[in-house]
Amino acid sequence: MNSTAVAPRDTGVLVVGACQAGIQLACSLREYGYSAPITVVGAERHAPYQRPPLSKTLLHAETSPDAIALRSEAFYADQGIRLVLGERIIRVDRGDGGAGVAYAHSGRSFAFDRLALTVGARPRRLPVPGADLAGVHYLRDADDALALRAALAEAVDVLVIGGGFIGLEVAATARELGCEVTVTLADNRLLERAVGVPTSEFFLDAHIRRGVRVHLGAPPVRLLDDGHGRVRGAELPDGSVLTADLVVVGIGAVPRTELAEQLGLTVDNGIVVNEYGLTSDGTTVAAGDCVACPPPVDLPDGPVRIRFESVNTAVEQAKTAAALLADRPVPYGAVPWFWSDQYDLKLQVAGLSTGHDRYVVRGEPDTEKFAVLYYRGGHLVAGDFVNRPADFLAVRSALAAGRTIPPEAATDTTVPLKKLIADDPRQAVA
Amino acid sequence: MPKVTYVSDAGEARVVDGLVGDSVMQTAVRNGVPGITGECGGVLSCATCHVFVDEADLDRLEPVSGLEDEMLDGTVVDRCPNSRLSCQIKLSDELGDLRVTTPEAQE
Ligand SMILES: Cc1cc2nc3c(=O)[nH]c(=O)nc-3n(C[C@H](O)[C@H](O)[C@H](O)COP(=O)(O)OP(=O)(O)OC[C@H]3O[C@@H](n4cnc5c(N)ncnc54)[C@H](O)[C@@H]3O)c2cc1C
Ligand code: FES
């Protein structure tokens, strides 16, 4: 990373992808004093919006995509951020030093001095016969959510394939709307990649208590046709059949890497960036769901790079990339966190529990109000929190400050966790 | 149209026209008012929308819910008696104009 500065800036920064990461990148550039032009090009027709409500409130018909907009039109104008919607970039030509031209599907072109990729991810497609039948839905963008909302209003039997956040949030909403709901998944526990075992077990019980049927370790082998091209259910590996008039597939997302590949950037389960958000060509930056980056927190023996799909990660990575482009580089090192809302259950997760060797449970999971604190080598590394927001905030700030909470004391729910935050003796030695 | 005055920690005031139904947090974030992050979009998950409400406006607001109360205990800048999470304050014509001060830090 010898020279990241480019002297003449006439065409400025082009941000491809106008959502959480792209808009944050543009806003942060201005905040960090970048004064050349900024253009953000997005493929969707809606003004940039928040994705989390798509699997929650938006399905209840309470909200319109306008109501979840990230910024006002006046704000973009005020900040001199040119927002171009409904244009998909399909090719980028680039010369030396990072400058080049991007071409949209429509034929429009956009010149730039520096390029930022915030293109996000697309839903992973279900790889079985029948997956393209009518009545099979995916959920990634606002149009998907509006289509799913209309379908849910008519549905009786809903089958959710996948036990991650999106699947479970849709299952919760469908149940609240009065549908019969079945969840079937390949993994042997819910939210396997995101939370620890006690939290997975809690969510299994919580969904069952609310009348959802759950099949673990049962990925459908095919979806069944009602004879008119509409889905009528799914067949499981043991030959049994689940009937449904609406199927929602939520089996993860795949990073959009086509443009990066075309540019010859290193791609490995996401566009590879360093801790400054810089890609392998040394000039292009990238942020958000499309990115594989060094873990922001210490993960001994962990993966060298991770992809972490959350609002907080998109925002922090975008700030990091903007700081680099504005010649104020600061490495990305924020403690990742995210949340999920299902029924009246608020889940908050702070840190990365990967590779923990000990955990303690605070409170009684059966009361639907508890926390799990994870430790590795004696250090507090992460926590899962269900309806315990004060505990979540305490752990998030302890982790951010490199401090700890003694596991023995943490199980006493009469003492606020905030009062137990202590210096991490091992951290001080290291 | 209700107006919200945001006073920064350093004492600078900015007046923004709000829309009925939007929250004080949304109004700030959409218009790029510094000092309010609102990362979770207003679902009581992040506590990055902490504000101090002008004493004169405080009594007119809906009371603090149990969840908001718990979260206020964990804000980065310690809570005061007039602390609120601004995503929980919805603008309305009855409520009228509001004045809030943003803390030194949210995260
Ligand atoms: C339904 C749902 C619920 C979620 N709930 C939560 C939650 O509760 N909590 C949480 O922390 N996170 C949640 N997330 C995750 C969070 O929303 C994402 O991590 C975040 O949106 C990532 O932002 P991004 O900008 O990287 O990508 P995206 O939001 O995917 O944005 C990328 C944008 O780029 C555009 N684009 C792609 N290619 C091109 C191109 N070639 N030209 C032009 N434009 C292009 C796309 O159309 C898209 O608008 C949820 C995600 C979804 C889908
Ligand atoms: S915006 Fe997250 S708690 Fe208010």
Side-chain angles (χ1 to χ4, degrees), chain A residues 16-22 41-44 51-52 54-56 87-90 118-121 139-140 166 169 256 259 287-290 309-312 314 337-341:
Chain A
V16 182
C19 203
Q20 198 83 50
V41 182
E44 293 183 66
R51 246 162 253 275
L54 300 184
S55 49
K56 309 171 182 96
E87 294 280 3
R88 177 175 295 282
I89 301 296
I90 50 163
T118 54
V119 288
L139 179 52
R140 177 79 201 178
I166 294 185
E169 287 175 4
R256 290 185 195 265
L259 288 176
D289 282 6
C290 62
E309 297 165 17
S310 78
V311 167
N312 171 259
W337 73 271
F338 64 90
W339 78 94
S340 171
D341 294 305

Side-chain angles (χ1 to χ4, degrees), chain A residues 92-175:
Chain A
V92 182
D93 287 346
R94 205 189 25 170
D96 292 338
V101 182
Y103 298 90
H105 207 261
S106 65
R108 274 175 85 176
S109 63
F110 303 88
F112 59 84
D113 292 321
R114 292 293 285 269
L115 179 68
L117 295 173
T118 54
V119 288
R122 59 166 62 86
R124 174 170 290 124
R125 297 277 144 182
L126 187 68
V128 303
D132 49 6
L133 288 167
V136 179
H137 288 251
Y138 290 83
L139 179 52
R140 177 79 201 178
D141 62 28
D143 289 335
D144 294 341
L146 296 175
L148 180 57
R149 176 158 95 192
L152 274 171
E154 314 265 289
V156 179
D157 265 321
V158 176
L159 173 63
V160 174
I161 300 176
F165 287 114
I166 294 185
L168 294 183
E169 287 175 4
V170 170
T173 304
R175 196 70 198 117

Side-chain angles (χ1 to χ4, degrees), chain A residues 50 67 69-72 75 311-312 315-316 337 339 341 346 348 369 389-390 392-393 396 418, chain B residues 26 29-32 39-41 43-48 67 70-71 73-75 78 106-107:
Chain A
Q50 301 167 358
L70 283 164
R71 297 284 189 284
S72 68
F75 171 78
V311 167
N312 171 259
V315 166
E316 293 299 329
W337 73 271
W339 78 94
D341 294 305
K346 173 171 298 300
Q348 291 159 296
K369 193 172 166 54
F392 160 74
L393 294 172
R396 191 178 69 175
K418 196 178 180 176
Chain B
Q26 277 170 319
V29 172
R30 294 227 179 106
N31 294 287
E39 203 157 281
C40 76
V43 295
L44 277 180
S45 286
C46 68
T48 65
L67 211 54
E70 269 190 60
M71 300 210 42
D73 282 338
T75 51
D78 280 341
Q106 295 284 8
E107 308 161 68

